[in-house]
Amino acid sequence: DAKTTQPNSMESNEEEPVHLPCNHSTISGTDYIHWYRQLPSQGPEYVIHGLTSNVNNRMASLAIAEDRKSSTLILHRATLRDAAVYYCIPGWGNTPLVFGKGTRLSVIA
Amino acid sequence: GAGVSQSPSNKVTEKGKDVELRCDPISGHTALYWYRQSLGQGLEFLIYFQGNSAPDKSGLPSDRFSAERTGGSVSTLTIQRTQQEDSAVYLCASSPVWGGSGNYEQYFGPGTRLTVT
């Protein structure tokens, strides 16, 4: 499994963009990069995933470095509901996920 | 539509007793996963099912833990002779497809909080 490095915590002001980085320098060529988040007292929820190209969906954008050794999850306008632990997980989505410690995002009103 | 459901939501049991935790995946999802989350260990994989078979049981922490899935749907995680270190939130997830090409997100249930006293 590819090892990931994420900041332990980050803070953002409400309605500001947030860039959550992840380093996955040992990622294999076929691994996707998944992002999940876990809101307080809930199970994790899928946010986005990508392979090589940048991806956008209604929740977020994913920017993937050209060498695929790092990626950044972008929340365009943070809301209080986005306060959660964000996990970056290389691998296949339909095999067991290996969760690291993630980044705890705090959003300040 | 209905998501993944788990029952009970909370379970308090005495050390040494057996417990059963239930997971109802999203209808039609062939893959089912069990994870647990404890304060000291974070989120860890336990076991997963493709249909009714379990190709990977490597995450089960001891032989006191077992799981089964019947009819390609409901799964039960059983912990025998519970210990205090089994206290955790047990999470179930399902996804539409297992194996092959493609990439599918996992949908998680709300979890069962197990407390062993």
Side-chain angles (χ1 to χ4, degrees):
Chain A
D1 299 320
K3 179 176 169 58
T4 59
T5 304
Q6 296 181 255
N8 289 334
S9 62
M10 292 184 66
E11 201 173 80
S12 173
N13 293 318
E14 199 175 11
E15 300 192 4
E16 294 288 322
V18 182
H19 291 231
L20 298 162
C22 180
N23 184 294
H24 34 75
S25 58
T26 60
I27 192 170
S28 78
T30 57
D31 278 348
Y32 286 76
I33 300 152
H34 305 265
W35 284 80
Y36 280 75
R37 71 179 186 181
Q38 188 171 23
L39 280 63
S41 301
Q42 295 188 28
E45 66 173 347
Y46 166 85
V47 178
I48 199 167
H49 75 274
L51 185 62
T52 55
S53 304
N54 294 345
V55 184
N56 300 293
N57 66 18
R58 62 176 179 80
M59 289 182 72
S61 296
L62 177 59
I64 301 171
E66 194 170 336
D67 63 5
R68 297 195 352 110
K69 293 184 177 181
S70 65
S71 61
T72 302
L73 179 70
I74 303 164
L75 307 178
H76 295 286
R77 291 179 67 232
T79 69
L80 296 177
R81 287 196 67 256
D82 291 322
V85 179
Y86 286 79
Y87 298 96
C88 157
I89 306 173
W92 285 74
N94 49 1
T95 56
L97 298 170
V98 178
F99 289 85
K101 297 189 186 303
T103 297
R104 182 173 299 277
L105 175 66
S106 301
V107 180
I108 303 168
Chain B
V4 177
S5 61
Q6 293 187 245
S7 60
S9 55
N10 280 285
K11 176 73 176 178
V12 180
T13 189
E14 292 181 352
K15 177 181 171 181
K17 295 285 177 76
D18 297 352
V19 295
E20 285 189 352
L21 311 179
R22 177 186 168 108
C23 171
D24 281 88
I26 293 172
S27 177
H29 280 193
T30 56
L32 185 148
Y33 310 80
W34 283 98
Y35 299 85
R36 75 174 177 181
Q37 187 167 32
S38 53
L39 280 176
Q41 299 297 323
L43 251 160
E44 58 178 332
F45 161 73
L46 298 177
I47 185 171
Y48 85 95
F49 290 88
Q50 174 200 5
N52 292 333
S53 65
D56 189 349
K57 304 179 182 180
S58 62
L60 294 176
S62 77
D63 58 8
R64 297 185 295 104
F65 287 71
S66 62
E68 64 175 15
R69 188 181 186 194
T70 54
S73 180
V74 172
S75 176
T76 303
L77 177 69
T78 301
I79 309 173
Q80 295 179 309
R81 305 180 302 282
T82 52
Q83 304 293 314
Q84 287 187 328
E85 61 262 28
D86 299 335
S87 295
V89 176
Y90 289 80
L91 292 156
C92 175
S94 69
S95 69
V97 174
W98 178 89
S101 62
N103 197 279
Y104 299 91
E105 63 189 87
Q106 294 184 19
Y107 296 80
F108 283 79
T112 293
R113 180 176 296 278
L114 175 66
T115 304
V116 181
T117 61

